[in-house]
Amino acid sequence: MIKFIWPIYLIYLHTVDSTNQYVKRRNRYMRNWTIVWSMNQTKGKGLEKNYWNVEKGKNLTFSVFLKSINLALDKGYIINLLISNAIHKTLFFYNKNFWIKWPNDIIFMNKKIGGILTENSIYHRKIHRTIIGIGLNVNQMKFDENFQATSMKIIFNKNFKLEKLFYKLILSIQKEYLFFTSYGEVFVRNYYMNHLYRKNQISYFYNNKINKYIQGTIRNITKEGYLVIEENHNKKLYCFSTKEIKLIY
């Protein structure tokens, strides 16, 4: 049995619309490190209201509830970083070709295997509570052709025990949170930057600010979580929020 750093309070649901929505409706009564896990999430959402469609009983879809974290508003991106790191470290154990795609996806060989959605509550101009929704493709074999997706089973040609992988992920998240509280933002950023998908590689993006495709290279992320891209045509650095830029390839 895995020994956790902080006690967890697990709520298992056979079916739910969204684990994040479930937590939002009830978090007033929830304790720190409450985790809601469901085998059948019918209306899971990702970033920018994209839906996370999965087959019943074949993947991991769960939400982690944290409170009293007291992060400055401009440091909310750190939550995405540490959760991305935790998932990446868990999967990196199995294969070294997993990458973190800004801001919060996990990629294997240019295909998405996992994603994160964080929803924060503000109190006295600080992030006081956060709900972290996590989806990981595990034993599913078929995906919508419109999505470049993969799963653990497709990659490794074997079934994975969902419960075992679930508890590994929770422990990894707790470790990463401990690293952040002990060593600070730089520690978390360094790992994230070292495993950032397509960093220092020429890539194509769609720039929503000017409604056109651009060619550039990912160089960094700012201390507020914006993506820093060096445009190829003028070698200047530009910063983008998640709504302003989309990586094409």
Side-chain angles (χ1 to χ4, degrees), residues 74-190:
D74 63 351
K75 295 299 180 182
Y77 84 102
I78 291 293
I79 299 168
N80 270 341
L81 264 62
L82 69 89
I83 300 298
S84 297
N85 289 356
I87 298 172
H88 183 267
K89 287 179 180 180
T90 303
L91 301 184
F92 204 65
F93 172 81
Y94 298 99
N95 189 289
K96 307 305 181 186
N97 288 313
F98 288 99
W99 294 91
I100 302 169
K101 181 182 175 183
W102 178 88
N104 50 13
D105 286 339
I106 305 298
I107 301 293
F108 181 87
M109 301 295 287
N110 301 319
K111 292 186 177 182
K112 181 175 178 177
I113 191 171
I116 302 158
L117 176 65
T118 58
E119 300 181 86
N120 301 319
S121 297
I122 311 302
Y123 182 72
H124 284 186
R125 299 188 62 79
K126 286 192 174 183
I127 298 171
H128 180 62
R129 299 180 175 193
T130 187
I131 303 166
I132 305 153
I134 297 168
L136 182 68
N137 299 330
V138 183
N139 293 322
Q140 186 168 328
M141 292 294 290
K142 295 181 179 180
F143 295 92
D144 190 317
E145 293 180 358
N146 295 320
F147 298 98
Q148 290 292 311
T150 190
S151 70
M152 297 289 282
K153 185 173 182 177
I154 291 173
I155 296 167
F156 298 105
N157 196 31
K158 68 174 186 178
N159 280 310
F160 285 79
K161 294 181 179 179
L162 294 179
E163 185 175 16
K164 183 177 181 181
L165 187 56
F166 170 77
Y167 286 119
K168 281 185 177 181
L169 286 168
I170 299 303
L171 180 59
S172 186
I173 291 168
Q174 289 200 341
K175 286 181 177 178
E176 203 66 21
Y177 188 78
L178 180 62
F179 290 151
F180 170 61
T181 57
S182 301
Y183 306 121
E185 178 181 346
V186 173
F187 183 90
V188 176
R189 280 180 58 91
N190 285 345

